[in-house]
Amino acid sequence: MKSASGDASRFPVFYTVIGGITASVGLELFLHPHDMIAGGVTGISRLVSLYTQEHFGLLLFVLNLPLMLLYSLSTHKPMLLRALPGLFAFSGSAIILSPFPAVSGHPVVCALGGGICIGLGAGLAARHGGLLDSLGLNESDDGRPSALFLTQRKIPLIQIVMLCNGLLLMTAGFVLGWEPALYSALSCLAAYETTRLMFTGLTRMVCVISNNQQTVEDALYRRLRIQRMSVGSPVQNLNEIKKDLVDEKTEKTIVYHVHLLDLQRFKAIIQMTDPQAEMYTLKKE
């Protein structure tokens, strides 16, 4: 009988769809009723929709699609196929939710709430191989190139994203007014910090004792894109981590940093790869 956690780990599309719906809730129920915008292509789509009267959800899909195709070709990975379900859910649920009123009449509450929803949705999708916004606030191992070459100079993509978002917020200030633009900046900051927290801020150290170390390492990297900790880690030296384990098991121990959202998938992959493996969850120091 297969475990529920094992089944869930095989369907990352489910999480990208949930991420798309969560992000659209942040837009349509928090930001857009107060004339706030998000960053990236999502914000560009909103400004274009205000002038063309085309539906935001449709523009969101149309403007994201060519950039995602470009990234897929440049990285030689099937990123587009993994991103499409989340993008469909993002744009489709935005169309469905657009007639609904704002959750709150307080712009600060909506700016923070919308940013948190967008950050949660973008982070959830990115952690499972999706991408909601081709110039979004989230970063994924497989989603986008880390840098672009412009005029013989390598420029980190995060700098380009920040520049684009800055210009977008300035444009929003002229078009929508400076007060909504300032609230939009607050929302972008909340989204960025929420996404960063989902990637780096909620982790556990897990010791895996296995006779098939290489097989386990390959499976975890292929499925979760995580690698074992190396000796001299700034968190804690591996010798200190292993000192409480039985001596004869020390050489069979692999130590990982695992995000809480990936913990059940991590355990399911270990059990499928090596049913005899032992796992110990340690607290971070």
Side-chain angles (χ1 to χ4, degrees), residues 197-213:
L197 181 66
M198 291 191 68
F199 274 94
T200 62
L202 301 170
T203 60
R204 293 289 184 270
M205 285 189 295
V206 182
C207 289
V208 179
I209 301 175
S210 171
N211 291 318
N212 303 308
Q213 287 192 11

Side-chain angles (χ1 to χ4, degrees), residues 49-145:
S49 70
L50 293 175
Y51 273 89
T52 63
Q53 303 303 312
E54 292 290 341
H55 203 285
F56 163 75
L58 178 62
L59 287 171
L60 181 65
F61 183 82
V62 170
L63 294 181
N64 267 300
L65 195 59
L67 284 176
M68 289 186 177
L69 178 61
L70 178 63
Y71 290 152
S72 184
L73 294 175
S74 64
T75 56
H76 303 289
K77 297 176 181 177
M79 192 269 305
L80 184 62
L81 296 179
R82 297 199 304 269
L84 277 178
L87 183 57
F88 271 124
F90 192 21
S91 57
S93 54
I95 294 174
I96 295 172
L97 293 173
S98 60
F100 288 84
V103 169
S104 172
H106 298 283
V108 174
V109 173
C110 283
L112 292 176
I116 291 172
C117 285
I118 293 170
L120 286 174
L124 187 62
R127 290 196 65 83
H128 294 85
L131 189 65
L132 300 184
D133 189 320
S134 49
L135 285 178
L137 296 171
N138 55 286
E139 292 189 41
S140 171
D141 288 341
D142 299 324
R144 301 177 307 190

Side-chain angles (χ1 to χ4, degrees), residues 71 74 135 145-151 153-157 160:
Y71 290 152
S74 64
L135 285 178
S146 61
L148 295 179
F149 286 93
L150 297 177
T151 63
R153 182 182 177 186
K154 188 177 181 180
I155 302 177
L157 190 63
I160 298 175

Side-chain angles (χ1 to χ4, degrees), residues 24-58:
S24 68
V25 167
L27 289 173
E28 298 296 346
L29 301 187
F30 288 90
L31 299 188
H32 289 175
H34 290 278
D35 289 332
M36 302 177 203
I37 64 169
V41 178
T42 304
I44 296 172
S45 301
R46 177 59 177 172
L47 291 180
V48 173
S49 70
L50 293 175
Y51 273 89
T52 63
Q53 303 303 312
E54 292 290 341
H55 203 285
F56 163 75
L58 178 62

Side-chain angles (χ1 to χ4, degrees), residues 16 33 75-76 91 107 112 141 178 189 192 227 236 238 262 282:
T16 64
T75 56
H76 303 289
S91 57
L112 292 176
D141 288 341
W178 292 107
L189 179 62
Y192 179 83
Q227 295 178 309
Q236 194 176 12
L238 291 189
D262 291 332
L282 307 174

